[in-house]
Amino acid sequence: MAVKTNWETIAEWKAWHPSEVAIRLRDAGIPWCIAGGWSLDIWRGQETRPHEDTEIAIPRTCFSTIRSHLSEFRLFAVGNGDVIPLPPETQPPTDKHQVWVQDEAAHAWRLDIFLEPGDAETWVFRRNELIRAPRTKIVAIS
């Protein structure tokens, strides 16, 4: 049985800026992209509002790799009001599509990772897996 955590008592959001995420994931060797509000601001070429968090999207199949790459941080599966610690080598439950990255030293949440179906070549819409396309057609690479 998973242990649930009251996330408000263990950290606050002090998210990495997308440029810092890019530096941290530069050598991760997985496909990823900025998602959520920051993705719109990057597309617009300007920050239009303050951002509390920074979200990225990765294929769920790449979770072990990103977990290893971010091994200095604690990871938590998130969804439906649950924040569940993910011990090392543990995969997020299949009903959870988000993982938060906690920097214990800074007492801060740093990153929100969206876990998507699909793989490095094919992007698949999580809410309707019939909707799919080559990742290069869906995700902008700069």
Side-chain angles (χ1 to χ4, degrees), residues 88-100:
E89 308 302 321
T90 303
Q91 293 291 314
T94 57
D95 67 329
K96 303 293 186 235
H97 307 287
Q98 284 180 263
V99 172
W100 286 356

Side-chain angles (χ1 to χ4, degrees), residues 119-136:
D119 56 34
E121 289 78 37
T122 305
W123 175 88
V124 178
F125 183 47
R126 182 175 63 80
R127 290 185 172 89
N128 181 346
E129 294 191 17
L130 296 175
I131 301 171
R132 54 185 59 224
R135 184 169 291 281
T136 56

Side-chain angles (χ1 to χ4, degrees), residues 35-49:
W38 266 117
S39 67
L40 296 173
D41 280 1
I42 290 169
W43 178 75
R44 287 183 182 116
Q46 66 179 352
E47 187 173 345
T48 60
R49 64 174 176 83

Side-chain angles (χ1 to χ4, degrees), residues 1 7 15 29 31 38 54-55 58 65 90 95 101 103 105 119 131 137-138:
M1 179 176 172
W7 65 272
W38 266 117
T54 301
E55 298 117 335
I58 68 168
T65 302
T90 303
D95 67 329
V101 177
D103 180 344
D119 56 34
I131 301 171
K137 299 262 187 207
I138 299 295

